[in-house]
Amino acid sequence: MSVHDQAAVAVLTQVALAADGAVLGLALAYVAVRSVLKFKTTSSALHKLKNAPSVTVSDLRSVLTDDDGDNQIVIVRGVVETKANVTGGWMNHNNVLHSHESDEKAVILQRTQTCIYNEWRGFFGWTSDFRSLFRRHWKEQESLSMRTVPFVLVDGVKWPPSDYLNVNLDGSKHPLPLTTVYHNLQPITASPYTFLQAFFGHEYPVGLLDEEKILPVGKEITAVGLVNLKKEIPEMMSCKDLPFFLSNMNKDQMVTEVDFRARVLWWSGVIFGSLATGVIGYAVVRNWNKWKDWRQRRQSQRQYIQDSEAAAAEAAEDVADGDVPEGQLCVICLLRQRRSAFVPCGHLVCCPRCALSVERETSPKCPVCRQAIRNSVRIYES
């Protein structure tokens, strides 16, 4: 880690520990609240997955004949097939995709081209140190193209299939169980312009990654989502409350994975919540004590100012009274009359102003006997 990074980390540490750790405690509390909210969402999804019936495509209609058949969450295991091939479309050859690399038949074809950039500080160190703490030095810029054709799920045991399930991808943001058929990383040859970019601390490309992923025809997958009858044909759409839509896992594997996520989120919330409570409690106690000390100091300062003003006024009166006998002069300033006696020694050797200054010392002692004193008492003549 460079000197600049160490300085940035030190600044961030000071910010996190500001107010005796109150900022750190609030950050931990935020993480704990987020974990608890995600736990509630995950627990709800786990409950829905456990209660969802798991059927084959041929048994799906029997489930949809129930009273709550429409928009019911169902888990269906089937084989991917193009819709035109099942329904007898008149242009079957245009309703299937072919991989550019492996020439496999597919219903989803995704091509990704990723340009990988490297970020270096350069000789002048102009790259932001704080930005490098929150972002990787390796960055990527991705261009994505995806093609799909209508497809269905069928039972793979009998052909031609008598029943099928339409799969509707509209509005789905769930990951798809795609298979990688092509993966190639090509380094980019450096140019003089690349050298200038690196010299001045700018990003420069270092590699180009090409990938092709497909959902092949004939692959067995699991679909979980909302099923309803559309023109007497069952159709499945994704449910945003569930973490899966199309997956290679079966129901038991899905339940196991979601249950593991819920446990991790629960314990994360408990651990971060406990840490946040401890840190915030410590910060509250520390700041409360600091506030009380500050208030006491303020009161002491105000009392000191009042006593100083009173002592100054009395000193002015003493000076204005005229000559003071030499034996009654303050042993410190030798200007004002002795009027304050020290406790507990009882020596009457100082004026009120000098007695007050002696009291304010770190280890106040009587100027005559050098005994430790607690305070002073004003002596009035009758």
Side-chain angles (χ1 to χ4, degrees), residues 269-318:
V270 170
I271 294 174
F272 284 110
S274 301
L275 290 175
T277 302
V279 173
I280 292 177
Y282 171 79
V284 169
V285 173
R286 289 277 299 176
N287 285 281
W288 173 258
N289 293 332
K290 285 184 178 181
W291 181 79
K292 289 196 300 184
D293 293 341
W294 174 82
R295 186 176 63 176
Q296 291 177 357
R297 288 196 301 270
R298 290 279 297 177
Q299 292 177 351
S300 300
Q301 290 176 357
R302 291 176 181 176
Q303 186 65 32
Y304 175 74
I305 293 173
Q306 293 176 359
D307 294 343
S308 299
E309 292 177 351
E314 293 174 357
E317 292 177 359
D318 292 342

Side-chain angles (χ1 to χ4, degrees), residues 46-221:
L46 178 61
H47 179 72
K48 292 178 180 179
L49 283 176
K50 287 182 177 180
N51 294 334
S54 180
V55 297
T56 60
V57 178
S58 57
D59 296 332
L60 182 59
R61 289 183 179 274
S62 62
V63 177
L64 298 179
T65 56
D66 296 338
D67 296 335
D68 55 347
D70 289 343
N71 293 326
Q72 180 182 357
I73 296 179
V74 182
I75 301 175
V76 183
R77 187 76 176 178
V79 176
V80 176
E81 188 58 68
T82 60
K83 184 175 182 180
N85 197 21
V86 173
T87 59
W90 61 278
M91 293 182 64
N92 294 351
H93 62 282
N94 289 332
N95 286 277
V96 64
L97 303 174
H98 291 270
S99 170
H100 298 279
E101 304 299 334
S102 63
D103 201 33
E104 295 183 53
K105 294 181 180 180
V107 294
I108 299 178
L109 177 63
Q110 176 181 300
R111 291 187 63 87
T112 307
Q113 189 175 71
T114 306
C115 187
I116 303 175
Y117 285 83
N118 185 32
E119 182 180 350
W120 186 53
R121 297 183 182 281
F123 291 102
F124 297 101
W126 291 348
T127 305
S128 174
D129 294 314
F130 287 101
R131 185 177 61 183
S132 64
L133 292 176
F134 297 100
R135 287 196 313 184
R136 298 181 303 169
H137 289 282
W138 289 91
K139 302 198 307 178
E140 300 176 352
Q141 290 186 0
E142 182 178 87
S143 61
L144 176 67
S145 64
M146 178 180 291
R147 296 172 57 195
T148 61
V149 296
F151 67 97
V152 296
L153 294 184
V154 299
D155 285 330
V157 294
K158 32 182 186 176
W159 190 266
S162 58
D163 295 302
Y164 61 92
L165 171 67
N166 280 329
V167 179
N168 191 342
L169 293 177
D170 294 341
S172 174
K173 296 182 180 179
H174 296 81
L176 299 173
L178 303 180
T179 302
T180 302
V181 294
Y182 181 72
H183 180 94
N184 184 30
L185 177 61
Q186 296 180 350
I188 297 179
T189 305
S191 63
Y193 179 68
T194 303
F195 174 76
L196 290 177
Q197 288 178 308
F199 184 81
F200 288 102
H202 295 288
E203 305 163 359
Y204 58 93
V206 294
L208 188 63
L209 176 63
D210 286 322
E211 283 186 314
E212 185 177 78
K213 298 180 180 181
I214 63 172
L215 181 59
V217 174
K219 182 178 182 179
E220 187 178 11
I221 62 173

